[in-house]
Amino acid sequence: MPVFKVFFKIMGRYKVLVIMYVCIFMGISITIGSINGKEKEEKYETTRVKVSVIDRDGSELSKGLKDYIKEYNNLIPLKDEENEINDALYWRNSQYIIIVPKNFEEDVKAGKSVNLITRKIDYADTTRFVDEELNQFISLLDYYLISGYSISDGIKKVRDNLKNKVQVSLVKGDKKLYMDSTGYYFQYAPYVMISVCITIITMIMIFLYEDDIKKRCVCSSMSLKQQNKELALASVLFTLMIFVVVVIGGIVMSKGSLLKSESLIFYMVNSFAFSMISMSVAFVFGVFLNSGDSVGGVCNVVGLGFCFLGGVFVPLEILPKGVLNAAHFVPSYWYVKANEITAYMDSANSEFIKEFCTYVGIEMLFAAAFLAIGLLCSKKRVIFG
Amino acid sequence: MSTVVKIENLVKRYGDLVAIDHLNLEIQEGEVFGLLGPNGSGKSTTIHCLLALLQYNKGNISVFGQEIRPDSYDLKRDIGVIMQNVAVFEKLTVEENIDYFCGLYIKNKKKRKKLVDEAIEFVELNEFRKYYPKKLSGGLLRRLNIACGIAHKPKLIILDEPTVAVDPQSRNKILEGIKKLNEEGATIIYTSHYMEEIEQICTRIAIIDKGKVIALGTKEECKAMIKTGETITVDVPGLNGEQLKSIEGLPHFYKMEYENSILKVRFEKGKHNLIRLLDYLKEQDIDFGRVYSEVPSLNDVFLEITGKELRD
């Protein structure tokens, strides 16, 4: 099998490059996967905000309000000076400052509209909880005062009422609420596969299809069919090696838990389909390109193009509509779709399998189409004159 | 002797251009057959058709008595090809390259190893076995190219201009090697536009121009086809029209050129042409410098038949 052997002999000359590519891309995939895929908590918890209350009224109501705020937040003492207030917010010593104006209690009793002065960090989501707490306190107290309660009884009633908590339980469906690090790892895998395949398969094909070498091979007693068979076999074997490395990387990434997971088979099937696409694309470029110098450029353009357009590097949700429509014609889009449903899957029900098979089927069609183009063009290229 | 290659009425057109025009050739076993012609005369196209690399429009080509087609793999087993350009893998060593191309013919690993060693020995690349082609000089590269084409011990070896851009020393080695291959029993087809090489190694020659064979035979037979028997060149300044006319009157005179004080007189076959010319110059008291006489070359054959130089 001379062609088969020469493929791996030449690949051996590029082994440092291959190892470098695999290591760099795996490193990037694993790092990004680890950063993005940290498991998020699936439960809610009240947060305590750093709140300062400046009491200019010194009334029973203002003290009651202060005690109420203290119960749910961390009360930070603060002087009633503008500079101190600004510094506290700037240095994040306080996230929320409530200034109780003079005659606050009197105005509330008189039924006047009372505005508490508040200062807060504008973009902090947590401060909304304090807004809510204040609104609830004032509105409820208003009801009690109208109903004839005294200030002290009103405050007591409000605090008792607000102590009641609602038990929240999340409705759990057959989907996870987040993509774990393994999901992210497999999301980035297409870049590894397509880059390595183009670098090696395309490069070796350029050597084999070089006009003078091709002439010499065509003149030999080994049929062109046999030579192509050996080349195809070597390419498939090399692609499978890359596929295996990617899967092993995924298992390592998940610290072995993927081995016990139902997702493993789906990640494997999806990665296998994309590895076939990578091989076919590399084959097409191997037929078309004449010079090894262009391989690096093509590898970058195709690898990055597929990954950016297909939603590998950029989430599909944030792609503009036009780009998203174009992405349907990029095989990595279907890979990402299959990967996403696998990552969010809790159990493989029939609906999931149907959807998954559709995406993988489209990927395989892409692989077949690229292979057909490559075969057609390679046939034309060997007929000299 | 049996016929190894038979080309009958071969026609190859590229659109309106007729590259090969009803070409006929018969090459016998054990010959070193030279295809001589200027660039673009149709030598390489003939070779490509012979190797079934090109589809031709008309004619028949048979090798070892059988018609050659792209799928004639049994026939191809006995053919070795050395193309004009060096066709080797840059990423394989000398030994790996020869082994690869030999492997396209010979499956048995042990036998192939022996053949590869013999080929390396033959082209004297023993000390460069583990070298990559880019480390080899032009001459060594050509020798590697030849080794890749002959390692499987073919009965018919086709060499398409194998000495292009090769230094004289390497060229001589290559030509000696070709003679040796022939002595070992291989039939050689050698194409070149260097007439000296063809004259040096070929037993029979076909001179090709515009896709047609214009002369065929041994070098002596080809030279016998033309009128020129001897060309005498004299470095002689200041000849006048009358003197030139007198030279034209010398016996066996055929043609004459006079340019930049160089007089070139072609004589038909006959004796004493040089003495007669020098006697005339002495009689006329004409001073002359360098004088030399040349027997006809294949270039003269080409020149006389086509009216142009081989290297035009």
Side-chain angles (χ1 to χ4, degrees):
Chain A
M1 302 239 284
V3 181
F4 181 85
K5 283 180 189 163
V6 91
F7 182 100
F8 286 98
K9 257 184 200 162
I10 296 175
M11 194 209 86
R13 308 289 190 257
Y14 285 99
K15 64 175 173 250
V16 176
L17 191 71
V18 174
I19 292 168
M20 202 176 78
Y21 258 119
V22 171
C23 288
I24 291 173
F25 294 140
M26 298 283 274
I28 291 171
S29 298
I30 289 171
T31 311
I32 296 172
S34 308
I35 294 166
N36 289 337
K38 280 191 178 151
E39 294 186 11
K40 294 171 182 89
E41 295 293 334
E42 282 187 30
K43 59 184 180 185
Y44 291 103
E45 190 178 76
T46 50
T47 48
R48 295 181 74 85
V49 181
K50 290 189 274 184
V51 181
S52 297
V53 178
I54 295 171
D55 186 1
R56 289 176 182 168
D57 192 35
S59 60
E60 192 183 1
L61 176 56
S62 64
K63 280 173 191 162
L65 175 68
K66 201 171 175 179
D67 291 340
Y68 164 72
I69 293 293
K70 192 179 173 183
E71 199 172 332
Y72 300 102
N73 301 284
N74 297 331
L75 205 64
I76 308 293
L78 187 67
K79 281 184 188 172
D80 188 6
E81 286 171 19
E82 188 60 26
N83 284 346
E84 292 281 329
I85 292 169
N86 289 338
D87 282 354
L89 286 173
Y90 182 78
W91 296 109
R92 304 290 191 268
N93 294 331
S94 288
Q95 292 168 285
Y96 201 105
I97 296 167
I98 305 164
I99 301 170
V100 183
K102 271 188 180 175
N103 301 323
F104 173 62
E105 187 179 298
E106 291 304 314
D107 289 346
V108 170
K109 275 183 186 170
K112 288 182 186 171
S113 160
V114 179
N115 284 324
L116 287 166
I117 304 163
T118 57
R119 304 272 293 273
K120 57 192 172 184
I121 301 166
D122 289 339
Y123 48 83
D125 291 342
T126 45
T127 56
R128 283 190 209 145
F129 289 113
V130 185
D131 284 338
E132 202 58 35
E133 283 163 8
L134 279 177
N135 283 338
Q136 280 180 336
F137 182 86
I138 301 291
S139 337
L140 270 175
L141 183 72
D142 219 21
Y143 287 126
Y144 283 113
L145 292 180
I146 290 167
S147 310
Y149 283 85
S150 67
I151 288 283
S152 58
D153 290 343
I155 292 169
K156 198 170 172 273
K157 279 278 179 192
V158 169
R159 288 183 65 176
D160 287 344
N161 272 338
L162 291 177
K163 267 180 189 163
N164 293 331
K165 283 187 176 172
V166 178
Q167 189 64 40
V168 177
S169 61
L170 293 169
V171 179
K172 206 167 182 197
D174 55 357
K175 284 183 175 178
K176 287 179 190 166
L177 292 169
Y178 60 90
M179 185 186 272
D180 60 12
S181 54
T182 313
Y184 276 108
Y185 166 81
F186 279 102
Q187 182 103 339
Y188 292 108
Y191 191 48
V192 186
M193 291 191 274
I194 200 141
S195 302
V196 175
C197 281
I198 289 180
T199 304
I200 297 303
I201 298 176
T202 304
M203 188 70 94
I204 292 174
M205 282 184 67
I206 288 171
F207 285 133
L208 286 168
Y209 279 98
E210 198 268 314
D211 273 356
D212 292 311
I213 288 180
K214 193 78 207 170
K215 269 184 204 171
R216 188 163 245 170
C217 295
V218 171
C219 289
S220 77
S221 62
M222 179 181 275
S223 70
L224 200 62
K225 207 173 166 184
Q226 175 64 19
Q227 292 178 42
N228 285 337
K229 257 189 211 170
E230 288 186 21
L231 177 63
L233 190 64
S235 303
V236 169
L237 192 66
F238 174 76
T239 309
L240 287 179
M241 280 160 62
I242 298 299
F243 159 71
V244 168
V245 169
V246 166
V247 172
I248 290 172
I251 292 167
V252 172
M253 180 83 206
S254 69
K255 293 173 187 139
S257 67
L258 190 61
L259 285 171
K260 294 168 207 153
S261 165
E262 207 181 353
S263 311
L264 175 65
I265 187 74
F266 297 105
Y267 280 131
M268 281 177 72
V269 170
N270 196 24
S271 302
F272 175 79
F274 198 82
S275 65
M276 291 297 115
I277 292 171
S278 305
M279 187 189 71
S280 310
V281 170
F283 179 62
V284 171
F285 284 109
V287 170
F288 279 112
L289 295 180
N290 288 316
S291 160
D293 299 337
S294 46
V295 173
V298 167
C299 177
N300 287 333
V301 171
V302 176
L304 292 173
F306 270 24
C307 292
F308 276 109
L309 268 178
V312 172
F313 293 149
V314 185
L316 290 172
E317 303 83 56
I318 66 162
L319 288 177
K321 203 181 168 192
V323 178
L324 206 59
N325 287 338
H328 285 69
F329 299 98
V330 179
S332 47
Y333 171 81
W334 302 102
Y335 172 88
V336 169
K337 294 283 268 181
N339 189 65
E340 277 183 355
I341 61 165
T342 307
Y344 287 108
M345 174 205 69
D346 246 2
S347 64
N349 56 28
S350 59
E351 197 188 334
F352 164 81
I353 289 173
K354 196 177 162 191
E355 199 178 351
F356 181 84
C357 288
T358 307
Y359 296 149
V360 171
I362 293 170
E363 285 181 63
M364 293 309 279
L365 284 176
F366 266 108
F370 284 124
L371 198 67
I373 293 168
L375 284 172
L376 199 74
C377 297
S378 73
K379 221 170 188 180
K380 293 229 169 198
R381 214 180 135 163
V382 294
I383 301 167
F384 304 100
Chain B
M1 276 205 296
S2 59
T3 301
V4 173
V5 175
K6 192 171 185 181
I7 301 175
E8 294 171 294
N9 266 323
L10 183 67
V11 177
K12 170 69 190 169
R13 291 190 195 95
Y14 292 108
D16 290 337
L17 178 83
V18 183
I20 304 290
D21 189 2
H22 296 89
L23 185 128
N24 290 286
L25 278 180
E26 214 167 290
I27 298 161
Q28 306 300 323
E29 191 184 348
E31 276 191 312
V32 180
F33 191 87
L35 274 179
L36 180 67
N39 290 329
S41 58
K43 302 185 298 288
S44 293
T45 307
T46 307
I47 296 299
H48 281 91
C49 291
L50 172 59
L51 292 167
L53 284 173
L54 271 180
Q55 291 169 339
Y56 43 88
N57 303 91
K58 201 179 153 188
N60 294 307
I61 300 176
S62 64
V63 178
F64 300 116
Q66 293 175 55
E67 188 194 348
I68 190 150
R69 293 191 312 264
D71 59 351
S72 305
Y73 300 116
D74 286 339
L75 275 182
K76 287 179 177 180
R77 198 180 301 276
D78 289 325
I79 302 173
V81 185
I82 294 125
M83 292 292 185
Q84 193 170 344
N85 298 325
V86 175
V88 294
F89 291 101
E90 274 190 22
K91 295 285 171 189
L92 299 183
T93 63
V94 164
E95 190 174 8
E96 287 169 339
N97 263 300
I98 301 172
D99 183 63
Y100 171 72
F101 289 111
C102 188
L104 296 175
Y105 298 86
I106 310 288
K107 282 182 184 169
N108 186 298
K109 204 177 169 182
K110 218 172 172 181
K111 190 178 172 191
R112 197 168 68 237
K113 172 92 178 72
K114 190 171 168 273
L115 289 170
V116 170
D117 287 342
E118 283 173 13
I120 291 175
E121 196 77 42
F122 183 81
V123 292
E124 296 175 22
L125 283 176
N126 241 324
E127 56 187 301
F128 303 101
R129 271 172 180 267
K130 302 289 174 199
Y131 278 52
Y132 287 95
K134 62 180 169 193
K135 298 264 178 192
L136 301 178
S137 67
L140 293 177
L141 256 183
R142 289 279 167 188
R143 274 145 71 181
L144 169 62
N145 196 35
I146 290 173
C148 291
I150 58 147
H152 62 288
K153 292 256 155 86
K155 289 180 192 162
L156 171 65
I157 301 170
I158 298 167
L159 298 108
D160 189 10
E161 311 225 23
T163 56
V164 173
V166 170
D167 60 277
Q169 199 188 348
S170 295
R171 179 177 294 186
N172 285 337
K173 282 219 169 200
I174 290 169
L175 297 180
E176 278 167 27
I178 292 165
K179 272 186 195 169
K180 207 170 150 195
L181 285 170
N182 179 242
E183 282 161 17
E184 286 172 7
T187 303
I188 313 278
I189 299 176
Y190 189 89
T191 80
S192 180
H193 61 271
Y194 296 128
M195 55 181 180
E196 301 86 356
E197 287 181 6
I198 296 277
E199 283 199 54
Q200 195 179 332
I201 62 164
C202 295
T203 49
R204 249 175 10 114
I205 300 156
I207 301 177
I208 298 183
D209 187 45
K210 292 178 183 167
K212 280 182 180 169
V213 175
I214 57 171
L216 177 69
T218 62
K219 57 187 171 192
E220 290 79 17
E221 284 169 346
C222 288
K223 286 173 189 175
M225 288 168 64
I226 58 169
K227 275 188 168 182
T228 307
E230 185 180 13
T231 304
I232 297 168
T233 309
V234 188
D235 192 353
V236 50
L239 286 178
N240 58 36
E242 202 177 320
Q243 290 165 330
L244 290 173
K245 212 162 190 181
S246 303
I247 292 169
E248 280 178 12
L250 291 173
H252 306 127
F253 175 87
Y254 172 48
K255 262 182 182 174
M256 182 174 66
E257 287 167 38
Y258 184 57
E259 214 175 274
N260 299 326
S261 304
I262 303 289
L263 177 70
K264 214 174 205 179
V265 188
R266 291 174 189 275
F267 289 98
E268 291 176 10
K269 288 154 194 97
K271 288 178 179 175
H272 312 304
N273 297 323
L274 178 63
I275 294 167
R276 279 194 199 102
L277 179 63
L278 295 180
D279 282 350
Y280 171 76
L281 294 174
K282 277 178 193 167
E283 270 170 29
Q284 297 292 313
D285 208 15
I286 299 167
D287 288 334
F288 58 88
R290 221 158 33 115
V291 178
Y292 57 92
S293 165
E294 293 167 290
V295 290
S297 65
L298 291 173
N299 187 44
D300 294 313
V301 178
F302 193 79
L303 181 68
E304 210 174 301
I305 298 172
T306 65
K308 59 188 182 188
E309 298 269 350
L310 251 174
R311 282 171 193 150
D312 276 356

